Amino acid sequence: MTARIARALQAVTAERAGDAVLSVRGLTVRFRLPGGRTVAAVGDADFDLAAGECLALVGESGCGKSVLASALLGLLPGNAETSGTAFLDGTDLLAADEKTLARTVRGRRVGLVPQSPAAHLTPVRTVRSHLEETVRALTGTSRRARRKTAEDAADRAAFPAGHLDRYPHELSGGLAQRAATALALIGDARLLLADEPTTGLDRDLVDRTVDELRRHADEGRALLLITHDLAAAARIADRVAVMYAGRIVEVAPAHRFFGPTGPRHPYARGLLDALPDRAFTPVPGMPPELSALPDGCAFAPRCPRATARCATRPEPTAGVACHHPEQPRA
Ligand SMILES: Nc1ncnc2c1ncn2[C@@H]1O[C@H](COP(=O)(O)OP(=O)(O)OP(=O)(O)O)[C@@H](O)[C@H]1O
Ligand code: SF4
Ligand SMILES: [Mg+2]
C-alpha cells in the first residue's frame, strides 16, 4: 500500500469516527501552462478540521491558500489538475461531480467568503436581494421570514441595515467584504472557508468579524480562516497551518505558535518576526516561482539554517516539515 493510499484511508477513518468535519490528504493542484510548463500551486496538503475548530491558514501572497480553498469547492479553472482526497461528511469533495457540488456542497455544506467579494456579487441586484435570494434557495421560507433572516445575517456580519438596498457598485471594499460574509453565514454550513474575510476593514471591524466567525465555529461547525492578518488568527484560531510555496510546512496549536515557545519551522518563525510588534525583520529574499520549484526544501535559499541535507525535501514530522527545526524559545 502506498503512503498516499494509507493517508487517504486514515482520512476516511478520522472522518467516520466523527473526529473531523473535513479530512484532507495529499491534496495537490497543478496548473498546466501553454508550452508544457506546470505551476505546482498546492503540494501534498494534509490536515483535518474538527467540529467547533478554527484552523488559520497563513503564508505569503501566492503560496497557494486560495487555490487550496477553490479546490475544496470544485471552483478551479479548466487548466487545473487535482489529486488527493478531501472528505466532508462522507463525500470526497475532490472526486464529487459538478452536480453534487452545486446542489449539495457549495453554500449548503460548505460556505465561502471569497477573497474578491465584489466579483461574486451580481451588479444589478441589491445586497438585500442577494441575501434574500440566498435564504430562499437554501431554506425556502416565507417572504417575511426571508427578510428577517437576511437582516439578521447582515447584522452578524456588521453590514449596516441602512445600506442593504445598495447595489454592489455603491459599496466600498469593506462593505462588499461584509456583504460577502453575511451571505456565507446564511447557510449555516458545516464548514466555512473564509478567504481573507477582513480585507479593507479597520481593527474594530476586523475583531467583530472574526469574533462572529468564531461564534459560527463554536456552534459546532468548522472554520478554515485564510488570512494575512496574524493578529486576527491569534485572536480566534485553535491551530495555525503555515504554507510556503504550495506546501503546508507547519501545523501548530495557536497557543504554542503565538506564545513564548513559538513555531519551529524557520519560515513560520520568520513570518512572526516580521510583525511590527515583534522583531519587525522581514524574511529576506523572495518566494520561488511555483513553476520551477527545487527538488529539496523550497525555503532553502532564504533559510538561515539550511545545510546540504536540505537539498532533499523534508517530510513533516510532528507537524513540522524541516530537517533542522528551531528549538522552542526559552
Ligand atoms: N489559473 C491559473 N493558472 C496558472 N496559475 C495559477 C492559476 N490560478 C492561480 N495560479 C497560481 O497559483 C499560485 C497560488 O495562488 P493563490 O491565489 O492560491 O495564492 P494565495 O496564497 O491565495 O495568495 P494571496 O495571499 O495573494 O491571496 C500563484 O502562483 C498563482 O499565480
Ligand atoms: S529543511 Fe532546511 S532549508 Fe528547509 S526550512 Fe528546514 S532548515 Fe531551512
Ligand atoms: Mg488568496
Side-chain angles (χ1 to χ4, degrees), residues 70-127:
S70 297
L72 296 176
L73 284 166
L75 291 175
L76 290 171
N79 66 332
E81 286 170 0
T82 305
S83 58
T85 57
F87 278 94
L88 173 89
D89 296 334
T91 305
D92 181 359
L93 300 176
L94 305 184
D97 57 27
E98 174 53 29
K99 196 166 137 192
T100 306
L101 290 169
R103 289 194 182 168
T104 71
V105 174
R106 292 197 282 264
R108 294 173 192 273
R109 285 194 277 161
V110 186
L112 172 70
V113 182
Q115 184 168 12
S116 313
H120 285 73
L121 297 172
T122 309
V124 294
R125 296 175 60 181
T126 63
V127 175

Side-chain angles (χ1 to χ4, degrees), residues 60-63 244-245 267 283-290 293 298-299 301-302:
E60 279 162 311
S61 201
C63 70
Y244 185 77
Y267 172 66
V283 182
M286 297 290 286
E289 286 288 327
L290 298 183
L293 287 176
F299 189 56
R302 305 171 77 184

